[in-house]
């Protein structure tokens, strides 16, 4: 049930908490794709977007 909880100095997510993050990340990445016609997001770029969402 963790949703960005801090445990032992790390940010952790449980299965239910991760679902909300996954949907938000998906929406944020899709929105970025609509900003530019030539944009392709690789794993590093998606990770960077996710890090801005988690902190």
């Amino acid at each position: 049930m963790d949703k960005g909880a801090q445990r032992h100095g790390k940010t952790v997510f449980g299965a239910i908490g991760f679902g909300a993050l996954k949907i938000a990340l998906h929406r944020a990445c899709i929105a970025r794709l609509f900003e530019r016609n030539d944009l392709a997001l690789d794993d590093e770029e998606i990770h960077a977007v996710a890090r801005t969402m988690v902190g």
Side-chain angles (χ1 to χ4, degrees):
M1 298 293 290
D2 288 332
K3 187 175 182 181
Q6 291 292 317
R7 295 187 187 274
H8 308 288
K10 296 182 181 186
T11 304
V12 296
F13 288 84
I16 293 173
F18 181 73
L21 173 64
K22 182 181 75 159
I23 293 296
L25 176 60
H26 181 261
R27 288 181 178 159
C29 289
I30 294 297
R32 288 189 61 190
L33 290 173
F34 277 98
E35 292 172 1
R36 289 183 29 209
N37 240 4
D38 61 342
L39 182 64
L41 299 174
D42 63 10
D43 58 333
E44 291 178 4
E45 291 176 75
I46 294 170
H47 185 253
V49 173
R51 290 200 51 94
T52 64
M53 298 172 77
V54 175

